[in-house]
Amino acid sequence: MAEHILIVDDEVEVADLLELYLSNEGYEIFKFYQGKEALECVEQERIDLALLDLMLPDIDGFQLCRTIRKEHYFPIIMLTAKVEDVDKINGLMLGADDYMTKPFNPLEVVARVKTQLRRYHSYNGKESGQKEHLQPSGRNQEELEIRGLRINKRTHQSTLYEKNLDLTPLEFSILWYLCSHQGEVVSSEELFEAVWKEKYLDHNNTVMAHIRRIREKMKDSYRNQKFIRTVWGVGYTIEK
């Protein structure tokens, strides 16, 4: 069954180009030039991934991303002509999984789409995958429990004090990696390359933005960090 890709961009040439390249890869495309029509599609159709332009004529991409994330957890890639870090961080804070700045190479977009879909399906049990090699610190376990936080890799479910944590696949992957390395300090570089499967670049704020969003969902105060603790100049850790 073909995977469904949602494209939302008011630049007709960009939207058409993305549709052409992704259709050639076998994806079924839902293409819109306005956000409200796209939201109607999300509620009526099965969507596996969305490409959202930041600047839309009716509602901006930030609002569109925020609305989608209230009910859906499929990957979202933001597309924008803006290059400021604050725009990127805002998108990631609202639940976007990746961010691309125009102009971009359509082949790179295709590659990013494939990466996000592979990760999404993997963490939702849609791929069989290979068995993990046994590793220390419980990394071969399927479920971990840390001070009221329970996280299950097989079912992709996480609860905190028996209440569900609504994490995106990317957020789940980050939290699982930190939990499975409990007691260790994980650098931003290590975390990024382990989760995103891409080379880490200096001044990359992606990890920081996602950590902050996970903390908000866990009600983990930045000033009183109970679970994910920042080790300044080094990285992040979940203490034993």
Side-chain angles (χ1 to χ4, degrees), residues 191-221:
L191 190 56
F192 183 87
E193 294 184 355
V195 174
W196 276 263
K197 309 299 183 185
E198 298 176 9
K199 184 66 178 176
Y200 180 85
L201 301 177
D202 290 339
H203 309 297
N204 189 330
N205 294 311
T206 303
V207 172
M208 178 184 67
H210 280 85
I211 290 290
R212 182 176 174 182
R213 182 169 176 82
I214 294 170
R215 280 175 171 156
E216 288 179 350
K217 292 184 176 182
M218 298 177 70
K219 310 298 183 186
D220 197 12
S221 170

Side-chain angles (χ1 to χ4, degrees), residues 61-173:
F62 290 145
Q63 180 60 44
L64 183 56
C65 179
R66 183 186 298 111
T67 302
I68 290 174
R69 274 291 175 257
K70 290 180 180 179
E71 299 290 339
H72 305 280
Y73 299 99
F74 52 76
I76 295 176
I77 300 177
M78 302 294 291
L79 307 174
T80 182
K82 293 188 175 183
V83 297
E84 293 85 354
D85 280 347
V86 66
D87 294 307
K88 179 175 181 179
I89 293 173
N90 284 340
L92 296 174
M93 284 297 298
L94 293 174
D97 298 278
D98 204 351
Y99 191 100
M100 297 194 68
T101 304
K102 300 177 182 178
F104 45 69
N105 185 330
L107 292 176
E108 182 181 356
V109 176
V110 171
R112 298 280 188 96
V113 166
K114 289 181 177 180
T115 297
Q116 291 295 335
L117 285 173
R118 185 165 54 249
R119 180 184 299 120
Y120 176 59
H121 292 327
S122 174
Y123 282 102
N124 280 279
K126 297 180 182 177
E127 289 184 357
S128 59
Q130 296 180 348
K131 293 184 179 179
E132 297 181 33
H133 296 291
L134 295 180
Q135 297 180 7
S137 303
R139 291 170 208 169
N140 58 314
Q141 299 180 19
E142 291 187 339
E143 182 172 281
L144 299 171
E145 185 171 3
I146 302 171
R147 298 191 301 279
L149 170 66
R150 186 188 297 267
I151 184 167
N152 190 298
K153 188 176 183 180
R154 181 177 60 82
T155 63
H156 198 246
Q157 293 180 334
S158 55
T159 59
L160 182 60
Y161 306 132
E162 299 185 355
K163 293 184 178 180
N164 288 331
L165 283 176
D166 293 325
L167 302 176
T168 67
L170 195 57
E171 292 165 353
F172 181 91
S173 180

Side-chain angles (χ1 to χ4, degrees), residues 31-45:
K31 180 179 63 175
F32 299 95
Y33 306 118
Q34 296 188 25
K36 291 181 180 179
E37 295 175 346
L39 285 176
E40 293 178 2
C41 175
V42 169
E43 296 308 316
Q44 298 172 5
E45 302 288 345

